[in-house]
């Protein structure tokens, strides 16, 4: 009986050490691997609706507004006209908008984009690699990235025209 009790104690001690190590590592790394404000924006390589593969490196040196969305997400659909209006306003001022659709087929996304009149680049994240890299949950989530590639602001939830304009104005002033 004494040997089995000692074995149980050792197993419990090992579990405590493993869980403690995990807790310390998680708190030191901060956000479970999710990028946060001030971090470098994760790179992406995604198929665009134009049939070309696009990478984040294409937009190097530009401020970016990266919006993760889906046609099934009501707040995503509601904010899309505001995103398009701001994309039109800022396109000649060094701010690049990119929409990353999460997990939907190309035809569904193309029909939506055509119906709403979206003209900024839309990428398809069918395998959800960028969703994982950016730590997206819930949607919509929008990343405001400075021209140096650092995340300035992360906005979770629906954006309205005024909030978008204020965020982009602030972003455009950053080096």
């Amino acid at each position: 009986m004494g040997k089995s009790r000692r074995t149980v104690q050792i197993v419990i001690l090992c579990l405590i050490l493993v869980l403690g190590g995990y807790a310390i590592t998680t708190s030191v790394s901060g956000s479970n691997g999710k990028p946060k404000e001030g971090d470098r924006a994760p790179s992406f390589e995604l198929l665009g609706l134009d049939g070309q593969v696009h990478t984040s490196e294409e937009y190097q040196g530009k401020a970016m507004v990266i919006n993760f969305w889906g046609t099934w997400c009501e707040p995503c659909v509601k904010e899309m006209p505001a995103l398009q209006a701001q994309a039109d306003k800022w396109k000649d001022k060094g701010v690049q908008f990119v929409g990353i659709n999460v997990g939907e087929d190309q035809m569904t996304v193309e029909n939506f984009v055509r119906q709403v009149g979206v003209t900024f680049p839309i990428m398809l994240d069918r395998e959800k690699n960028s969703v994982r890299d950016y730590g997206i949950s819930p949607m919509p989530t929008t990343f405001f990235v400075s021209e140096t590639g650092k995340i300035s602001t992360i906005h979770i939830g629906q954006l309205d025209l005024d909030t978008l304009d204020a965020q982009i104005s602030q972003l455009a002033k950053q080096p």
Side-chain angles (χ1 to χ4, degrees):
M1 186 109 174
K3 260 190 173 180
S4 69
R5 187 173 193 182
R6 184 152 176 80
T7 304
V8 169
Q9 288 173 336
I10 291 172
V11 169
I12 290 172
L13 178 62
C14 288
L15 282 172
I16 290 170
L17 289 173
V18 168
L19 291 174
Y22 175 76
I24 290 169
T25 303
T26 301
S27 71
V28 167
S29 68
S31 58
N32 294 331
K34 284 184 176 185
K36 55 188 180 306
E37 293 175 5
D39 288 351
R40 187 150 196 71
S43 60
F44 60 80
E45 184 175 326
L46 298 166
L47 178 66
L49 287 184
D50 62 0
Q52 303 295 313
V53 174
H54 295 275
T55 66
S56 49
E57 285 73 32
E58 289 176 42
Y59 307 110
Q60 229 170 1
K62 288 187 172 186
M64 291 182 66
V65 177
I66 305 172
N67 177 258
F68 287 84
W69 66 282
T71 62
W72 47 267
C73 163
E74 190 175 327
C76 301
V77 171
K78 286 181 178 178
E79 78 177 357
M80 199 56 74
L83 286 165
Q84 182 59 54
Q86 290 299 313
D88 290 341
K89 176 180 177 179
W90 291 95
K91 69 180 174 189
D92 297 327
K93 298 174 184 163
V95 179
Q96 178 65 54
F97 280 67
V98 173
I100 299 180
N101 177 270
V102 178
E104 294 183 275
D105 66 272
Q106 188 165 347
M107 184 180 292
T108 300
V109 178
E110 284 176 343
N111 287 338
F112 174 81
V113 165
R114 189 173 29 259
Q115 182 180 357
V116 176
V118 174
T119 60
F120 59 87
I122 299 293
M123 316 294 172
L124 302 171
D125 189 15
R126 295 174 76 185
E127 303 300 319
K128 300 182 182 176
N129 292 326
S130 291
V131 167
R132 185 183 59 250
D133 293 345
Y134 278 80
I136 302 302
S137 175
M139 288 198 308
T141 297
T142 305
F143 285 75
F144 296 88
V145 180
S146 73
E147 60 189 38
T148 62
K150 301 265 185 189
I151 298 169
S152 170
T153 307
I154 301 169
H155 184 91
I156 297 171
Q158 183 179 335
L159 283 160
D160 60 38
L161 201 56
D162 293 336
T163 304
L164 248 174
D165 196 48
Q167 288 290 341
I168 298 167
S169 294
Q170 184 179 10
L171 179 66
K173 291 178 188 173
Q174 294 179 359

